[in-house]
Amino acid sequence: MSEEKLSGAELVVRSLEYMNISTIFGLPGGAILPAYDPLYDSPIRHILARHEQGSGHMAEGYAQATGELGVVIATSGPGATNLITPLTNALMDSTPLLAITGQVASEAIGNDAFQEAYTVGLTMAATKHNYLITNAEEIPQILLEARHIATTGRPGPVLVDIPKDILNQKVEWIEPKLVDLPGYKPTLEPNPKMINQAADLIKKSEKPILYVGGGIIHSKANEELFELATKFQIPVVTTLMGRGAFPDGNELCFEMPGMHGNYTATTSIQKSDLLIAIGVRFDDRVTANPKFFAQNAKVIHADIDPAEIGKIREPEVPIVGDAKSVITGLIERLEGSDLKTTDWINELNQMKKDYPLSYIQEEKGPLKVPFVLEELQKLSDEDAIVVSGVGQHQMWISQHWNFTQPNTWLNSGGLGTMGYSLPAAIGAQAAYPDRQILALDGDGCFQMTCQELITASTENIPIKIVVFNNGNHGMVRQWQKIFYKNRFSASELTHHTPDYVALAESMGATGLRMIEKSDVKKVFEKMLEINDKPVLVECIVDPEDMVFPMVPAGGSNDVVILNEDDLKKL
Amino acid sequence: MSERILSVLVEDKPGVLARVASTISRRGFNINSLAVGPTNIQGRSKMTIVTELESVEQVKKQLNKLINVIKIVELDPENTIESEVLLLKVSINKDTQTSVIEKASLSGAKSVDVGSDYAVFEMTGASKDLDKLENLLKPFGIIEMIRGGRIAIQTKL
């Protein structure tokens, strides 16, 4: 028993050290100020963001890149409300996040005190769970619980709100106990009966598809997935959150299905007789109208979150469990069986040849994002981490970048949070100082969080940023072209556009620009050589370009729009 | 529309009702009744939630995700005793007084306060019996009515 009394603030910092947290992201303010004082002496690296939304996305980027807990700290009121976007983003994409917020003093709560917000109430629907601490003695135990909840089961964000007087309260350190929550016991091991039923269906299937997503990455089950797919010759499609869970380039990998998925991936599901869905949630960007989704297929749905099973599609075989255990179980039960999928795989490969992803990069014409991406990939490291914003460029990256490893593709999938890329890339680089971190962003997205460029410079975080500048909110423009008769209401950004190169330089980064095809290679080579500070490349691209294939929202995946001419089908 | 009753054991902590209510409204579930009260177990409260058959599976699963929710039991409609409490204040006058009190008492309500121009009845019972009382007294002019929410318990283990 320690006799020395510690302040609540010291307990916060000591608890973070106790949990081996090495890096946190944040921004100080009145109510959280006590916690920043002991942090000054702590070996924990604190990265000072310029806006709390940025700090939240940094913690998300750190967590998505490492698969471990990301930690963000903010003050009360506006500090906490600015965190709501990253918290909701982390909830949608199942990212393990711990947010610690200061709160006004206990006796002021409810009095509309300065910088008071009802943080626990405001973040109730934005977190997996949240806490308001009422006694400093609880701090170590609650922070440990918060980490446990954030990182186990289906991962997600947890917020701990601590009033200022509690941060100043002097108490003894009480060694936290092993976390045991009566209402929280995630099911990790699948029911063997269900595994048997699933294996029986797989054995009978002629056209199976492994439809896999983020759950594989959270569960670190990519090797097991590879074994299952290759041993039994089952084709794989990977959702936006599951890119990298199975290596692109493998003959069984048909990449991303859905709204902007490739034709073969989307159609493979429609033609399949058995969907083996693991760690996916039948998101509307994958299914389009669920009534028309995989109508010929039976469904095996395995997920760690029971609430996902049957939410959109009632499966023939529901399996609650961790993806790794589920897949291991399936491999064991399928041992020795010989699936007759050769015809099916040939059919899909033929389809891939007949309906390839395509683009035309003219020698003297404006740059096309897919071309630029393919050139960049040729020059970058195999284990480079790609961090995207939201919109056209995000879809093009998912389509044209070859992902061969998990945790190398960071993006905002569920919430679609523009502005995610730059701060999330900072978080990823904080975790991996020596890896190439590529923030590939749109100009609309970049303008939402570009203040964090100064954070990267100040903290010596040498991320490489590519701003695809089409002078527009490109995806909005695309929809206005297709659905709103070319009425470009509020989607043009060209009336006053920043000088991105000057902006980068003013923030301590190197600024470069590419305009023509002949620029691409040499500018990227230069970009990749700079490793002592952030570098930004403005890439001027064609504003008229649209992302295809496309299945309009609420449509049927049987009707895939392949190109501009195909729009007549609508 | 067929109903289902959920008996939800929760931790007796501040904000738990808000979490349950937030989940229900966030997911757009239809809830016909919700009642909360203490149990015989220290630190535990019980919520009785009445919802529609078509949404009951998702209601259960989504509420189960709440850390403070310990256990959810969907009560077997065949073996469940349900009860609800009602307080009802109705207008009376010299002419109607006897008839009102008689009707209420025949329905199983107890008169708890009778003034010159009003009477207050209390009744405990199945919700449909409370509905009957309400309909019976409506013509006399109901001034105020409060119902406590449905609670239920399964009769077999």
Side-chain angles (χ1 to χ4, degrees):
Chain A
M1 204 70 189
S2 143
E3 282 138 45
E4 180 204 10
K5 290 209 169 182
L6 299 171
S7 71
E10 287 166 328
L11 290 177
V12 169
V13 174
R14 191 156 157 187
S15 301
L16 293 174
E17 291 169 0
Y18 181 86
M19 297 191 288
N20 294 318
I21 304 294
S22 59
T23 307
I24 66 174
F25 306 87
L27 212 162
I32 196 66
L33 216 43
Y36 270 82
D37 193 60
L39 201 54
Y40 202 51
D41 301 320
S42 168
I44 294 172
R45 181 182 188 191
H46 176 271
I47 292 177
L48 172 64
R50 292 326 190 242
H51 186 287
E52 289 87 355
Q53 184 193 354
S55 64
H57 292 323
M58 287 174 202
E60 286 186 275
Y62 181 94
Q64 275 198 311
T66 58
E68 280 159 28
L69 184 72
V71 181
V72 55
I73 175 166
T75 197
S76 64
T81 56
N82 280 342
L83 278 184
I84 289 178
T85 298
L87 288 169
T88 311
N89 193 69
L91 186 69
M92 289 287 260
D93 288 346
S94 310
T95 304
L97 210 65
L98 169 61
I100 298 170
T101 49
Q103 181 54 277
V104 301
S106 306
E107 61 180 22
I109 289 178
N111 290 343
D112 304 312
F114 178 64
Q115 290 194 330
E116 183 189 358
Y118 176 31
T119 303
V120 166
L122 287 169
T123 59
M124 211 170 260
T127 54
K128 187 172 171 185
H129 192 56
N130 60 18
Y131 293 89
L132 173 68
I133 294 189
T134 53
N135 180 349
E137 277 181 0
E138 299 171 338
I139 288 172
Q141 185 65 34
I142 285 182
L143 288 176
L144 204 67
E145 271 181 30
R147 178 183 69 169
H148 177 71
I149 293 168
T151 55
T152 58
R154 178 179 181 173
V158 179
L159 179 138
V160 179
D161 198 27
I162 316 178
K164 191 170 185 178
D165 57 313
I166 304 295
L167 288 170
N168 288 325
Q169 187 189 352
K170 292 269 189 183
V171 293
E172 280 176 14
W173 165 271
I174 302 172
E175 189 77 11
K177 300 187 294 277
L178 208 67
V179 175
D180 180 30
L181 299 161
Y184 180 70
K185 312 264 185 226
T187 305
L188 303 180
E189 287 307 316
N191 181 338
K193 242 200 295 192
M194 293 293 118
I195 295 288
N196 285 348
Q197 284 182 23
D200 288 346
L201 278 187
I202 294 171
K203 283 178 200 167
K204 280 186 228 149
S205 159
E206 287 170 4
K207 295 183 169 189
I209 284 283
L210 273 158
Y211 155 41
V212 300
I216 302 287
I217 292 168
H218 297 307
S219 154
K220 300 181 170 63
N222 51 299
E223 285 174 17
E224 288 77 4
L225 173 67
F226 190 82
E227 189 185 340
L228 175 67
T230 52
K231 205 170 198 173
F232 304 103
Q233 291 293 295
I234 308 170
V236 182
V237 297
T238 51
T239 68
L240 184 67
M241 295 311 294
R243 305 285 293 122
F246 190 75
D248 290 352
N250 184 289
E251 54 169 20
L252 292 167
C253 189
F254 293 92
E255 308 186 10
M256 184 176 77
M259 180 178 272
H260 290 296
N262 71 77
Y263 177 86
T264 308
T266 304
T267 308
S268 70
I269 292 176
Q270 298 304 85
K271 290 182 178 279
S272 159
D273 65 1
L274 179 66
L275 274 193
I276 310 161
I278 307 176
V280 291
R281 57 184 177 86
F282 292 74
D283 179 72
D284 58 83
R285 257 48 184 169
V286 171
T287 63
N289 187 335
K291 258 194 278 179
F292 306 116
F293 180 70
Q295 283 177 301
N296 305 315
K298 289 187 171 160
V299 174
I300 298 164
H301 189 183
D303 203 281
I304 199 157
D305 179 358
E308 288 306 337
I309 296 172
K311 186 181 82 178
I312 305 291
R313 169 81 173 242
E314 202 59 55
E316 273 72 18
V317 183
I319 307 175
V320 179
D322 183 59
K324 201 180 190 113
S325 307
V326 169
I327 297 173
T328 307
L330 286 175
I331 294 170
E332 278 168 21
R333 294 302 308 173
L334 287 169
E335 203 61 73
S337 37
D338 181 20
L339 270 64
K340 305 275 184 280
T341 55
T342 315
D343 289 350
W344 173 229
I345 294 164
N346 290 343
E347 183 184 340
L348 295 178
N349 275 311
Q350 187 57 46
M351 210 186 282
K352 203 168 154 183
K353 277 193 200 113
D354 294 343
Y355 300 93
L357 286 172
S358 63
Y359 64 89
I360 298 163
Q361 176 63 59
E362 287 165 11
E363 210 51 45
K364 291 284 165 204
L367 284 171
K368 303 283 186 175
V369 177
F371 169 77
V372 176
L373 290 169
E374 289 180 8
E375 291 303 298
L376 175 57
Q377 180 147 37
K378 283 181 204 159
L379 299 169
S380 2
D381 295 343
E382 174 84 20
D383 70 346
I385 294 178
V386 175
V387 193
S388 169
V390 169
Q392 285 186 316
H393 69 282
Q394 177 191 27
M395 293 297 105
W396 276 315
I397 303 166
S398 183
Q399 289 179 346
H400 292 274
W401 198 272
N402 274 311
F403 293 100
T404 56
Q405 301 173 21
N407 305 94
T408 55
W409 165 234
L410 279 46
N411 82 128
S412 167
L415 196 63
T417 308
M418 291 171 66
Y420 176 80
S421 172
L422 169 58
I426 292 172
Q429 187 88 76
Y432 297 114
D434 300 323
R435 274 170 79 173
Q436 276 179 356
I437 310 292
L438 308 171
L440 311 183
D441 213 359
D443 55 332
C445 291
F446 178 76
Q447 289 186 54
M448 287 195 177
T449 51
C450 60
Q451 78 284 347
E452 302 305 344
L453 198 46
I454 201 85
T455 306
S457 307
T458 308
E459 297 279 345
N460 291 314
I461 290 179
I463 52 170
K464 285 122 185 77
I465 305 152
V466 179
V467 177
F468 291 110
N469 182 4
N470 62 2
N472 280 275
H473 285 296
M475 192 59 96
V476 172
R477 186 181 171 87
Q478 175 166 343
W479 283 46
Q480 287 173 332
K481 271 189 174 181
I482 299 173
F483 304 113
Y484 296 92
K485 299 181 179 140
N486 290 318
R487 288 159 55 82
F488 300 120
S489 178
S491 58
E492 287 168 315
L493 299 167
T494 43
H495 304 297
H496 289 287
T497 190
D499 178 337
Y500 291 98
V501 172
L503 186 139
E505 297 283 347
S506 78
M507 290 201 176
T510 298
L512 304 167
R513 183 175 285 128
M514 57 173 68
I515 300 169
E516 295 176 338
K517 194 182 167 201
S518 57
D519 298 338
V520 175
K521 187 162 182 271
K522 58 179 191 230
V523 172
F524 278 148
E525 278 171 351
K526 199 165 175 191
M527 172 184 92
L528 293 169
E529 271 167 23
I530 299 168
N531 287 313
D532 58 345
K533 56 168 158 173
V535 47
L536 180 149
V537 173
E538 180 191 18
C539 174
I540 313 276
V541 295
D542 185 1
E544 298 309 326
D545 218 1
M546 294 200 271
V547 185
F548 291 106
M550 178 176 183
V551 178
S556 159
N557 277 348
D558 287 330
V559 187
V560 178
I561 309 294
L562 291 167
N563 48 45
E564 224 166 322
D565 290 341
D566 242 9
L567 287 169
K568 291 182 214 110
K569 283 189 199 166
L570 290 177
Chain B
M1 197 77 74
S2 195
E3 285 184 338
R4 283 294 177 274
I5 302 176
L6 300 178
S7 183
V8 184
L9 187 69
V10 301
E11 289 184 89
D12 183 12
K13 283 188 174 171
V16 175
L17 178 59
R19 287 179 202 281
V20 169
S22 164
T23 301
I24 288 168
S25 81
R26 147 95 177 82
R27 299 277 169 190
F29 297 136
N30 284 324
I31 295 296
N32 300 341
S33 172
L34 190 154
V36 200
T39 64
N40 56 321
I41 312 160
Q42 180 90 35
R44 301 282 181 266
S45 300
K46 184 66 81 71
M47 294 187 187
T48 308
I49 298 175
V50 185
T51 184
E52 306 293 345
L53 174 63
E54 57 171 25
S55 54
V56 70
E57 278 307 313
Q58 267 295 310
V59 174
K60 278 196 286 188
K61 286 171 167 176
Q62 294 295 344
L63 291 181
N64 250 325
K65 287 175 74 163
L66 297 174
I67 310 294
N68 302 126
V69 169
I70 294 164
K71 196 177 177 195
I72 302 179
V73 178
E74 183 181 342
L75 301 181
D76 172 9
E78 302 295 309
N79 295 300
T80 294
I81 289 173
E82 220 196 288
S83 185
E84 189 177 2
V85 64
L86 164 147
L87 286 171
L88 186 149
K89 193 193 294 175
V90 62
S91 292
I92 52 171
N93 55 41
K94 277 186 199 136
D95 301 333
T96 60
Q97 181 176 355
T98 321
S99 155
V100 166
I101 292 175
E102 196 176 286
K103 278 181 198 293
S105 131
L106 280 172
S107 304
K110 198 168 83 182
S111 67
V112 285
D113 187 20
V114 180
S116 58
D117 53 358
Y118 73 93
V120 177
F121 297 101
E122 177 195 297
M123 183 171 166
T124 306
S127 299
K128 61 178 192 314
D129 295 331
L130 305 189
D131 295 343
K132 274 186 202 156
L133 178 74
E134 182 192 349
N135 287 331
L136 207 61
L137 299 184
K138 209 177 263 170
F140 301 98
I142 295 174
I143 302 163
E144 196 179 346
M145 184 185 83
I146 309 157
R147 292 171 67 155
R150 294 154 68 177
I151 56 170
I153 202 163
Q154 205 155 296
T155 50
K156 291 182 183 166
L157 283 178

